[in-house]
Amino acid sequence: MIKKIYLDPYIFIGISLLAMVGVLILFSASEGDTTIVFKQSIYVVLGLILFLFVSQPDPDIYRRFSPLILFVTLVLVFIAYFFGPEINGARRWIRLFGFSFQPSELLKISLPLFLASFLFNKKLPINAKQTAISIFFILVCFLSVYIQPDLGTGLLIAASGFLVLFLAGLSWVFIGITIATILIFSPFIWNNLLEPFQRDRIWTLFNPESDPYGSGWNIIQSKIAIGSGGFFGKGYGEGSQTHLNFLPETQTDFIFSVLAEEFGFIGVLLLLFLYTFVLLRTFYLAVNARDRFCRLVIGGFIFTFGFNVMINLAMVIGLIPVVGMPLPFFSRGGTSLLSIFLMFGIITSMSTHKKFIPK
Amino acid sequence: MDFNERQLERQSFTQRSLLVTSLLVIFIVVILFRTFSLQISNFTEFDKASLNNRTYSVPVQPLRGKILDRNGEVISENIATFDLVTTPRDIKNVDEFLKKIENILDLDKDEIDLYIKNFNSKAFFNRELVLKKNLSEIEIARFEVRGFEHKEAFVGKRFRRVSRYDEIFSHVLGYTGGAGENNLDEQNRFRSNSWRDAVFSYANGLIEGKAGLEKTYNQSLTGTFGIKQFEVDARGRLVKELSYTPPINGENILTTLDIDAQKVAANQLGKRKGSIVAVDVETGGIVAIYSYPTFSVNKMANGISQSDYDDLINDPDKPFFDRSVAGRYPPASTIKPLMGIHALNRGQISWTTKINDPGFFELPEDGRIFRSWGEIAHGLINLNQALIRSSNTYFFDLAYNSGINELADDIEKFGFGSTVCMDCILEDEGLVPRPQWKMNNLNFGWFKGDTVNIGVGQGYISTTPIQLAHYTAVLANKGTKKPLFLNNSLSEKIQSSEIQLENFNQQDWSLLHKAMESVVESDYGTARRIRDQKDFPIAAKTGTGEIISLDSREEYERIREDQGLRDHAIIVAFAPVEKPKYAVSVIIENGESGGSVAGPVALRILKELLKE
């Protein structure tokens, strides 16, 4: 018998709207391919159910099971790497009953969860040993995804880990030293650690016209799509850049360009409003969460989500290099969508349950 | 953790998450700003780029204007031919399709190979592909009957540039040939790669005038290209047609030429090398201009076999060479009326001045002998008689008493030494020699004998048939000079001018016309051969152009063995004498006698032109 449904109405409305608009845009981006849209709609429904389901348990359950959750996720990631099918040169999927499932998406949840449960009772600031342990787990998770290869998701997972570490009170000294080190070694990273195509992408960003039919093509066409949308857009399903295939990857990375082309600046404003609304509401929930563990988890989740959105947008409008990074709620992909709902479900759970204070 | 620590921790979290949130908000603002810049500030630029991406304009070829004669009769036009055109996009199976077509039409192996080779790319890009060119009427009928079965194939109309008079207008008309897109004035209206998809009206694709009127008036004949605008996808496939602006066909050119006169000219010259130019004296319009040997303009425009082409190129008689405007000939005795005008105007002689003609002229300086034609002694004769009989001695004498520069000035007044036609192509200026020219080109000083030779139109002087026709028109007009032209629309722009002659009045002109009429009418006249065949008064002057300078009649008989060294037969004539309407010049290479060989030719043309 259910006594109470734990639900934050603002979050619920916000993400429902985002998911609905997402399906709408995907329908246009996929040239009205009903199979794709039907599948995505199913994921939205499943996601909402999942969201409601994981909102209900007390947050302590997540804390207690976080090491197990991380362990299982990592095992799944490795199963995908060693036994999964190779698609487009990457091994990141597990096929189960005709559904493809991408366990690395779950790391965005299980890693912050684990780190928060590890750090929530540590003294401020986090000492060197704890920092080292945290970084070790972050590295393991990052590398397990990086080798698939999937740099975009890997970086996001690492970011989620570091965000928790930062919010938990990572010492400013450590942060200063790290930034300085990265700056000093950046030439070395540029020359030795980056693949030529990655260097190309960065280079293209600053000068896309240098290679309009090669690596600059995507960015140029994306900018044309967005720019030609104007204030009111070309109309739903009327985007010539989208429908005549000038715009690449319309269903995944560049889906924002589809929205911008067809709905114009108005559409962009609406989208940014929805994201900002969800972001600020969750920030409010984080600050007012019942304990340090919940604060860290909510903070880690929402900021990772925020950076994910911003990086995708900055990428398609040509502010940063192209990295494979989908737009949450919009890009095609079931696991990504489900993990977002899962994430907001956990956020809801952590922000709605009152702390039982023993006398 | 105690309470204090907990408070501290909460404070730290709030501060740090506020920092990250601020960072994200800055991010959002930057993204908003950037999107605003793309969508609002630079909208026009990106809107244009997007339009440019999705639209593709291909040129649609206009038809060339016709070339008409002065009566509006067609000389050159566009004749439709029919090709079997297919749309590979709609064809599921090439082999089956070809089999179906082969039931109706014969396809040869080359056609099939070419078709299959291009099929896939045309299908991918959704372009048309020609399967068989130049269908016969029977083939068209057979196809059309079954046309409903083949929606993917249709009979397409393509034009060819054809002259109704294949060989007789060749030099003046010129011909068309393949054009590079870079040569077109319109190239900047279209993207360079769009030419490969141009909609061609001609079976030969892009064409332009390569010679003659087709070249001179290429621009107005060509017209303006139309535009077919398509929507294309990122890979260049045609999605649908967006708009169509039809081409503007080229303007017709109404020429001054007369088909009937040209036909007569061609018939009269026959297989003899030479040139005929006939001019409307009142306007300056060229009514007939023919040069032989000639060539087929239709073959040149629509396909000539390599061996035929090689034959033309290697022919020693140079069929492509337009003798009428570029052939250099000595004017020979046809210059004598001009010599008379010169001498009278400069006061050297009067109409009654008599000079003894013993049959030769002896240069006082060195005793060199200049001989007359046939070495006939005409005795004491005046200018009138000298013109009628074409006495060489008389004009040697006139020239001997002239200053070379004054003489050259007077010759140039009549249009020699410069071009005389406004819209002819590759016109030669001929040569009016002067001491300065000789020194510069031959590195020799001027001899008196050089001047003497000019008196009978021999020596260094050279003229073109069109210059002779122009000169004859000036004589007919009693000193009014009009530039010649081919395009009738120029007639309003023509500026005529009077030749400045101080001491040569209307009476002198009448006497000169009388003398030239007597060339035909007199029993002694060199053109008396045509006297009885004419039905209107004609004024003429014959000439016999020597190719090499000889000392005696015997010597000529010897070199006559070589046909190529025989004298050129020349005549200039105008008619009717009272109110001249047409002037004509005829040169028949190696024809020997101006009066009896070239004379009848000139007569026939004048007859044709003057017939009511």
Side-chain angles (χ1 to χ4, degrees), chain A residues 2-23:
Chain A
I2 299 163
K3 288 180 201 147
K4 184 187 176 190
I5 292 179
Y6 293 92
L7 185 74
D8 182 88
Y10 301 107
I11 294 288
F12 179 70
I13 292 169
I15 64 173
S16 302
L17 280 174
L18 276 170
M20 271 163 15
V21 177
V23 173

Side-chain angles (χ1 to χ4, degrees), chain B residues 78 105 113 266 300 334 408 424 467 474 559 565:
Chain B
N78 310 300
L105 305 173
D113 288 349
M300 286 304 293
T334 60
C424 296
Q467 282 176 337
V474 177
I559 62 118
L565 295 177

Side-chain angles (χ1 to χ4, degrees), chain B residues 397-528:
Chain B
D397 196 83
L398 291 192
Y400 178 77
N401 290 312
S402 301
I404 175 60
N405 283 321
E406 286 78 18
L407 181 56
D409 287 347
D410 282 352
I411 293 174
E412 282 173 356
K413 282 181 187 166
F414 285 80
F416 293 112
S418 59
T419 60
V420 295
C421 175
M422 296 179 76
D423 52 357
C424 296
I425 218 160
L426 298 173
E427 193 187 345
D428 195 276
E429 293 186 338
L431 176 68
V432 177
R434 288 171 190 264
Q436 194 59 46
W437 167 85
K438 193 182 176 189
M439 186 50 88
N440 289 346
N441 290 278
L442 303 176
N443 216 10
F444 262 108
W446 190 263
F447 300 127
K448 197 69 193 173
D450 296 332
T451 316
V452 171
N453 262 333
I454 293 173
V456 297
Q458 301 287 358
Y460 298 122
I461 187 168
S462 74
T463 57
T464 63
I466 198 169
Q467 282 176 337
L468 289 175
H470 170 256
Y471 155 66
T472 312
V474 177
L475 293 181
N477 273 330
K478 299 186 173 174
T480 307
K481 201 161 85 165
K482 290 173 175 138
L484 306 185
F485 60 92
L486 288 163
N487 185 340
N488 196 55
S489 68
L490 291 177
S491 60
E492 291 131 37
K493 295 172 199 158
I494 293 294
Q495 303 252 319
S496 55
S497 57
E498 295 297 322
I499 287 175
Q500 293 305 309
L501 298 167
E502 293 77 20
N503 301 312
F504 197 82
N505 54 31
Q506 282 300 310
Q507 205 195 333
D508 293 316
W509 278 114
S510 298
L511 287 169
L512 187 75
H513 280 198
K514 204 81 207 148
M516 287 179 73
E517 189 180 357
S518 300
V519 170
V520 180
E521 295 296 330
S522 161
D523 289 341
Y524 303 101
T526 49
R528 61 185 176 274

